[in-house]
Amino acid sequence: MNFLKRAWLWFDDRTGLSGAIGPIARHAVPPNTATWFYVFGSATLFAFMLQVATGVTLAFIYVPSSGEAYQSLQYITTQTTFGRIVRGMHNWGASAMILLVGIHMIQVYLTAAYKFPREMNWISGVVLLALTVVMGFTGQVVRWDQTAVWSTIVAAEQAGRVPLLGGWLADFILGGDTVGGTTLSRMFAYHVFLIPALLFVFIGFHLYLVIKNGISEFPRAGDPVDPANYREKYETMVKQRGIPFWPDAAWKDMVFGFIVICTILVIAIVIGPPELGPPPDPSDIHALPVPDWYFVFYFAFLALMPPEIETYLMVFGPLLVGLLLFCLPFISNRGERSPLRRPWAVAIVALTIATISGLWAIGITSPWSPHFDAEPLTAEIIGADSGPLWRGGMNFNDKGCLYCHAISGHGGLRGPDLTYVGDRLSANELTWRIMNGGLNMPGFGGTLSNQELSDLVEFLASRKKE
Amino acid sequence: MSEKTGKSECTRRQFFVHVSMTLGSIAAVLVGVPIVGSILAPIIKKPEPEWRPVGALDSFKIGEFVKVNYVNTSPLPWAGVTAKSAAWLKRDGEEEFTAFSVNCAHLGCPVRWIEGARLFMCPCHGGVYYEDGSVAAGPPPRGLYQYPVRVNNGQVEILASPIPITTV
């Protein structure tokens, strides 16, 4: 017997590790769970492990001080050996977490794996989803640049809309009543201590439940869940036809997990971490805070909803979604599991994906924002380089019209495209609208001279198709 | 006899359960008060608004909005650049000033003064304000927040306040 083997036998004798873990690793699982369909939960776990490893590494170098974090991030990105790759992996790993959590959840919902006796599997999963989202947000904030500062303020403002408690919640998020020396330290504590501690607890619980209740078998149409006999049926099936989880089913988890980790690494090397924005200066107003991609759909949602109901949606929307998810296994915990027999479940998933994708697509262009960097109209587009037409075109540039209205491809998308406005509106109508404004347009009556107004109207009236 | 022993053992056991639970709870509360207290401190402790100088009286032209920077109400030594705050300031007359928060009343994004249009515009969700701070367009539920301004020994001073939170 060589030394290593004897050392292991001694260690195993004193700790009993193989006796404790072996049966868990080799426990029998339903044969039809050993498919590529079942790799997403474990892939999420692998991505989480990568987040822990890269996150701890970043914490070796990062300085969680409102005044100095930005410099330490620059140091990580440009000076530290492999720092750029580690930051990149942590960033893209976060995206992978969100993506994999989403896929895992959709899959569990579609195959109704949340039904009896796995209600608590689902509920602990919902808690993990919420914690992952909070990690995503706090992670964007500890990337302490200009966007982080303004995102924190936007989050505090949203919390401020909660009835009664709003002001307190906002101060709690800011760590005071301004962004400053206390803000980042607290975000860091959430991101690095508090939420991860909860994640470890709930991931442990979630995995324990997977062992305790067994991996749910792939559903067959016409084989409904009945709490009265489900456990008995499951145990008999596993006893008769089960296969050991390790390695018969687990090898696919390992292969897919390997691909996920390698993909994150390659993206981190090729693309690298997101560029740091300008420094976190609350007095710098040239900020356009846009969240990372996985929050863009919510960003779009906030922008598109009618102002009259937004406070309610902002506060009760997420709460209601959370509550619905939480209650799902109590709403239906028996019956058909196969998506073939659950058209509503399929429809809900399809609708949710369509809605989120749609909001996401809109969020990328953010047509509700004034575009301050819009290209000014040129003499060619205006169709003159002097005279009233030219002056009107220049007024269109200078008076801010351009930020919201596009003409011939120049300008913002907030208001209607005015390329052919001359076909729709007469000079009188144009004058009236410019003077008085409208639904989402300020009235310019007080700020335009008569000359400017008539030039502008003449210019707009000339925007015709021919 | 055996019954009595059993009973007394049970009582004894129950006593230990109560002792453990009670001591545990008391310890948790004793430790919890300072812990929760420290964490909640920012929502309990309110800094007083402070007058902050933003520039000499002569440096402001009448009728023009300029962005002024100042130190916020509760600067900590390690806050660095994040101790800064900003406001939009306009000199209305000899000693009269108007100061608006740079935070949009919708969700707090920084509004920009567009001189040509004489409007404040928010880049986030399209909030627009007239030069008197009232809502011109977009989702803001109220006008821009205004700060008190005073002139003190030839210096213009703004009453630095918390980030305005639009509550319901």
Side-chain angles (χ1 to χ4, degrees):
Chain A
M1 231 181 346
N2 65 37
F3 173 75
L4 276 180
K5 194 164 180 193
R6 271 185 299 143
W8 163 249
L9 287 177
W10 178 89
F11 179 78
D12 197 35
D13 176 68
R14 303 303 192 275
T15 59
L17 223 49
S18 66
I21 290 176
I24 295 174
R26 285 189 296 270
H27 80 284
V29 298
N32 64 11
T33 63
T35 68
W36 292 104
F37 191 68
Y38 275 75
V39 295
F40 296 106
S42 60
T44 313
L45 182 63
F46 289 131
F48 174 73
M49 284 154 62
L50 180 70
Q51 290 307 86
V52 173
T54 52
V56 170
T57 310
L58 291 173
F60 271 71
I61 315 163
Y62 181 78
V63 179
S65 142
S66 295
E68 280 128 22
Y70 186 75
Q71 283 82 343
S72 76
L73 280 160
Q74 281 180 320
Y75 178 75
I76 290 172
T77 316
T78 61
Q79 311 268 304
T80 311
T81 313
F82 296 129
R84 182 176 165 277
I85 297 177
V86 176
R87 235 198 93 203
M89 284 196 290
H90 199 65
N91 175 73
W92 295 104
S95 290
M97 285 288 300
I98 299 274
L99 207 61
L100 289 165
V101 163
I103 294 172
H104 183 48
M105 182 165 160
I106 288 172
Q107 156 199 29
V108 165
Y109 177 65
L110 279 180
T111 58
Y114 59 84
K115 291 191 176 181
F116 178 90
R118 300 187 181 84
E119 293 95 332
M120 282 310 297
N121 296 45
W122 173 267
I123 288 171
S124 56
V126 172
V127 175
L128 286 170
L129 170 73
L131 293 174
T132 308
V133 170
V134 177
M135 282 305 267
F137 175 74
T138 52
Q140 288 170 34
V141 173
V142 297
R143 192 172 71 220
W144 193 234
D145 59 3
Q146 191 191 44
T147 299
V149 165
W150 290 102
S151 302
T152 310
I153 294 175
V154 171
E157 291 280 351
Q158 283 181 51
R161 300 288 184 95
V162 174
L164 301 174
L165 302 173
W168 288 341
L169 287 175
D171 286 357
F172 189 75
I173 289 172
L174 293 173
D177 44 20
T178 54
V179 169
T182 49
T183 311
L184 181 61
S185 314
R186 298 171 72 90
M187 285 294 170
F188 182 75
Y190 303 142
H191 187 75
V192 174
F193 298 112
L194 192 63
I195 314 291
L198 292 171
L199 273 169
F200 277 115
V201 168
F202 277 91
I203 288 174
F205 186 46
H206 199 67
L207 293 178
Y208 159 80
L209 288 170
V210 172
I211 308 280
K212 153 91 173 57
N213 293 322
I215 297 179
S216 81
E217 74 280 22
F218 197 82
R220 280 180 305 146
D223 184 13
V225 173
D226 179 2
N229 68 5
Y230 177 83
R231 278 203 159 113
E232 204 181 329
K233 254 173 67 181
Y234 181 86
E235 269 156 38
T236 317
M237 180 258 297
V238 165
K239 209 168 278 170
Q240 287 170 351
R241 299 186 289 118
I243 56 167
F245 173 70
W246 176 266
D248 292 33
W251 74 271
K252 289 197 173 79
D253 292 333
M254 298 306 286
V255 170
F256 187 70
F258 176 82
I259 294 170
V260 167
I261 299 289
C262 289
T263 309
I264 294 171
L265 177 63
V266 168
I267 295 176
I269 292 171
V270 175
I271 302 180
E275 290 280 325
L276 287 176
D281 181 348
S283 72
D284 180 1
I285 53 139
H286 285 277
L288 174 51
V290 177
D292 282 359
W293 67 268
Y294 41 90
F295 287 132
V296 163
F297 83 93
Y298 187 64
F299 172 75
F301 178 67
L302 288 184
L304 290 176
M305 69 177 113
E308 303 80 49
I309 57 165
E310 74 172 3
T311 293
Y312 304 98
L313 280 175
M314 226 183 272
V315 176
F316 298 109
L319 217 62
L320 192 72
V321 171
L323 196 71
L324 268 179
L325 287 174
F326 197 86
C327 292
L328 174 69
F330 303 110
I331 297 168
S332 79
N333 80 329
R334 59 177 67 215
E336 283 289 348
R337 280 189 50 205
S338 168
L340 299 172
R341 297 279 172 95
R342 292 166 57 242
W344 281 107
V346 178
I348 288 170
V349 168
L351 201 71
T352 308
I353 292 176
T355 309
I356 289 179
S357 315
L359 285 171
W360 188 74
I362 301 168
I364 298 293
T365 55
S366 57
W368 50 80
S369 295
H371 288 190
F372 294 120
D373 51 0
E375 290 278 328
L377 302 180
T378 59
E380 199 186 332
I381 292 172
I382 295 169
D385 51 14
S386 60
L389 213 57
W390 163 256
R391 290 198 304 267
M394 292 319 281
N395 283 336
F396 192 84
N397 288 340
D398 299 340
K399 299 291 173 186
C401 314
L402 184 76
Y403 298 145
C404 297
H405 294 282
I407 286 183
S408 307
H410 291 231
L413 309 167
R414 176 83 167 123
D417 190 308
L418 302 182
T419 309
Y420 303 118
V421 67
D423 290 334
R424 295 199 303 271
L425 299 175
S426 69
N428 270 343
E429 288 169 319
L430 282 166
T431 309
W432 194 88
R433 292 214 182 180
I434 295 168
M435 294 290 279
N436 296 296
L439 183 59
N440 258 323
M441 164 149 169
F444 284 79
T447 52
L448 290 174
S449 69
N450 286 341
Q451 179 71 58
E452 285 168 338
L453 181 66
S454 70
D455 289 344
L456 192 55
V457 168
E458 185 164 345
F459 164 71
L460 289 172
S462 73
R463 302 296 104 187
K464 294 181 184 237
K465 258 210 176 86
E466 69 266 22
Chain B
M1 183 65 191
S2 71
E3 195 185 306
K4 199 184 165 193
T5 315
K7 200 177 168 192
S8 87
E9 244 178 33
C10 189
T11 318
R12 192 177 142 82
R13 214 169 257 162
Q14 260 171 5
F15 173 72
F16 288 147
V17 168
H18 289 312
V19 168
S20 318
M21 298 302 266
T22 311
L23 286 181
S25 311
I26 292 173
V29 171
L30 286 178
V31 176
V33 168
I35 288 177
V36 174
S38 319
I39 293 174
L40 295 186
I43 71 173
I44 301 164
K45 213 165 73 184
K46 290 282 158 212
E48 288 294 309
E50 300 259 7
W51 289 101
R52 303 283 192 208
V54 294
L57 179 61
D58 310 334
S59 62
F60 296 99
K61 274 190 248 160
I62 290 179
E64 207 172 79
F65 271 105
V66 287
K67 190 185 67 118
V68 291
N69 297 345
Y70 52 91
V71 175
N72 72 25
T73 47
S74 43
L76 288 167
W78 56 88
V81 72
T82 62
K84 291 208 284 188
S85 278
W88 286 109
L89 183 71
K90 186 178 75 166
R91 186 171 183 182
D92 299 314
E94 198 42 48
E95 296 220 336
E96 292 87 57
F97 283 85
T98 308
F100 290 118
S101 160
V102 295
N103 296 105
C104 182
H106 179 228
L107 286 177
C109 284
V111 294
R112 303 183 194 185
W113 170 247
I114 309 296
E115 178 57 41
R118 296 203 74 76
L119 295 168
F120 291 100
M121 288 191 184
C122 178
C124 286
H125 304 105
V128 183
Y129 305 84
Y130 292 115
E131 65 175 304
D132 65 353
S134 62
V135 179
R142 51 155 292 161
L144 288 172
Y145 287 85
Q146 206 167 341
Y147 297 134
V149 187
R150 72 176 187 194
V151 178
N152 189 18
N153 290 333
Q155 278 286 315
V156 181
E157 294 183 338
I158 276 188
L159 189 64
S161 333
I163 289 175
I165 302 291
T166 306
T167 48
V168 283

